Amino acid sequence: MSKHVLALEQFDRQQLQSFVDRAIELKSERKQGVRHEQLAGRTICLLFDKPSTRTRVSFEAAMYGLGGNVIFMSSKDSQLGRGEPLKDTARVLARYVDGIVVRTFGQEIVEELARYSDVPVINALTDLYHPCQILSDVMTVIEKKGALENLKIVWIGDGNNMANSWIEAAAIFGFSLTLACPQGFDPDEKVLARSKERATQSITLLRDPVEAIKDADVVNVDVWASMGQEDEQEERLELFQPYQLNRELLAKAKDDAVVLHCLPAHRGEEITEDVLEGPQSVAFDQAENKMHIHKALLDQFID
Ligand code: CP
Ligand code: NVA
């Protein structure tokens, strides 16, 4: 198995399924009050270039929950912010800690860190991918729907990092995925092509959200402007309006469809307050599951 977690496409179905299964087990053990100490004496460094509430705290809680320690460093407070090369940073950090969890802009940044790091590097979001989040989301779908097979899973909105990782998940887990993205906001072309080649079920890219959501079992939405795209926020507001998940649009999905949002949500933009707070929303279970998935990954990847 790959030593690092940079993208879902590095793994096969059995490996991804084992992370989810382990997370489900750890979640149940936590409810039973089981204590874990397998990472006692180990330390990870969280190296973050972008803001985070859920990912940071859930990784930290996961590491402490397995008996380990965490050092958080924002890039701007490190010498990276003053131009120290990534390859030097990776080699130095790897001499202090047992794993590096990175949230940054370019996917090439996590890849370069991984190339020079003797310890595992875990991608906690880049502009291209959000792999750990999608594992939490897949876990949530399995909890709510029992299995991934025969579900219609839909993505509505920007073809962003979340959409790209969902596409890879569809290809590897073998479920069908329908996306509706506005023209000019498609998922990454290469990710889509590679995933379609690997997929056993359909991965369909549409423009019309109404057509996409019809009879959906699972509906995913995310912010219209991701971190780093703040200057496009105004322009996107108008363009993405038809892609808002409101009661009217959701009514076209199956009655028992679940709504996923990785959070943070912009109420009144990509999702309305009543849908996010409504009975079909599982956003807060998703948020909880991030911690269980992160535990499963740390348990698997940190020696
Ligand atoms: N969903 C997610 O990654 O949230 P944060 O940006 O708060 O970490
Ligand atoms: N697509 C969003 C996800 C936030 C968790 C972003 O990159 O900002």
Side-chain angles (χ1 to χ4, degrees):
M1 187 173 336
S2 165
K3 171 181 169 172
H4 306 287
V5 184
L6 307 182
L8 295 180
E9 70 175 349
Q10 299 168 273
F11 302 99
D12 62 26
R13 181 184 179 150
Q14 208 185 353
Q15 289 165 338
L16 293 187
Q17 187 67 53
S18 74
F19 306 151
V20 172
D21 291 345
R22 181 71 181 125
I24 291 173
E25 199 173 74
L26 285 161
K27 182 173 183 174
S28 141
E29 286 175 2
R30 183 167 192 258
K31 288 216 171 85
Q32 294 160 33
V34 177
R35 302 263 157 212
H36 291 281
E37 288 294 334
Q38 58 265 51
L39 293 186
R42 310 292 197 289
T43 302
I44 57 167
C45 177
L46 265 57
L47 182 60
F48 277 36
D49 259 344
K50 289 178 175 175
S52 171
T53 296
R54 279 146 289 271
T55 308
R56 173 180 176 177
V57 176
S58 60
F59 259 113
E60 294 199 14
M63 189 61 184
Y64 289 124
L66 296 174
N69 308 296
V70 182
I71 298 166
F72 178 85
M73 184 163 72
S74 82
S75 307
K76 66 175 184 334
D77 299 325
S78 76
Q79 295 292 2
L80 272 171
R82 297 178 60 244
E84 183 168 18
L86 288 166
K87 61 182 181 180
D88 294 1
T89 307
R91 285 178 291 176
V92 169
L93 291 181
R95 291 184 182 223
Y96 303 142
V97 297
D98 304 286
I100 307 171
V101 177
V102 185
R103 169 169 284 205
T104 188
F105 293 88
Q107 179 69 13
E108 69 284 356
I109 296 174
V110 287
E111 284 170 6
E112 184 163 352
L113 286 167
R115 224 170 13 255
Y116 287 95
S117 167
D118 284 336
V119 299
V121 171
I122 299 179
N123 180 353
L125 182 146
T126 61
D127 293 343
L128 189 65
Y129 290 129
H130 200 358
C132 304
Q133 176 72 51
I134 273 55
L135 289 175
S136 321
D137 300 352
V138 165
M139 171 179 172
T140 310
V141 172
I142 292 171
E143 282 179 341
K144 304 294 172 190
K145 296 286 177 188
L148 297 167
E149 282 78 26
N150 305 319
L151 293 179
K152 180 172 180 187
I153 301 186
V154 171
W155 176 269
I156 293 178
D158 191 19
N160 61 15
N161 44 8
M162 287 284 299
N164 292 331
S165 286
W166 265 107
I167 289 168
E168 292 196 346
I172 304 163
F173 279 102
F175 57 82
S176 80
L177 180 69
T178 306
L179 303 106
C181 308
Q183 180 105 42
F185 299 90
D186 286 352
D188 184 83
E189 215 176 292
K190 289 190 194 128
V191 169
L192 193 57
R194 280 200 302 270
S195 301
K196 278 188 169 181
E197 213 162 278
R198 191 170 174 182
T200 52
Q201 305 291 314
S202 60
I203 300 176
T204 312
L205 177 59
L206 304 173
R207 296 276 167 248
D208 182 2
V210 177
E211 188 187 344
I213 203 171
K214 195 169 174 292
D215 297 326
D217 298 285
V218 177
V219 184
N220 273 286
V221 290
D222 185 18
V223 290
W224 289 340
S226 287
M227 290 180 275
Q229 299 171 330
E230 288 75 11
D231 54 346
E232 294 176 38
Q233 172 76 17
E234 281 308 305
E235 173 201 335
R236 286 177 178 234
L237 270 185
E238 205 182 308
L239 253 158
F240 278 75
Q241 206 55 52
Y243 295 79
Q244 181 187 71
L245 187 62
N246 48 39
R247 265 216 293 244
E248 196 191 343
L249 186 58
L250 183 58
K252 302 189 189 327
K254 285 198 185 139
D255 289 345
D256 64 351
V258 291
V259 172
L260 273 74
H261 192 312
C262 68
L263 304 176
H266 289 189
R267 290 165 166 84
E269 294 181 20
E270 76 277 359
I271 193 164
T272 51
E273 168 85 10
D274 53 355
V275 171
L276 185 67
E277 298 290 355
Q280 288 168 271
S281 166
V282 296
F284 293 92
D285 294 318
Q286 268 176 277
E288 176 185 339
N289 286 341
K290 284 172 72 74
M291 184 180 70
H292 306 300
I293 281 286
H294 295 161
K295 263 190 188 166
L297 293 174
L298 293 171
D299 198 14
Q300 171 71 44
F301 286 90
I302 305 300
D303 261 348

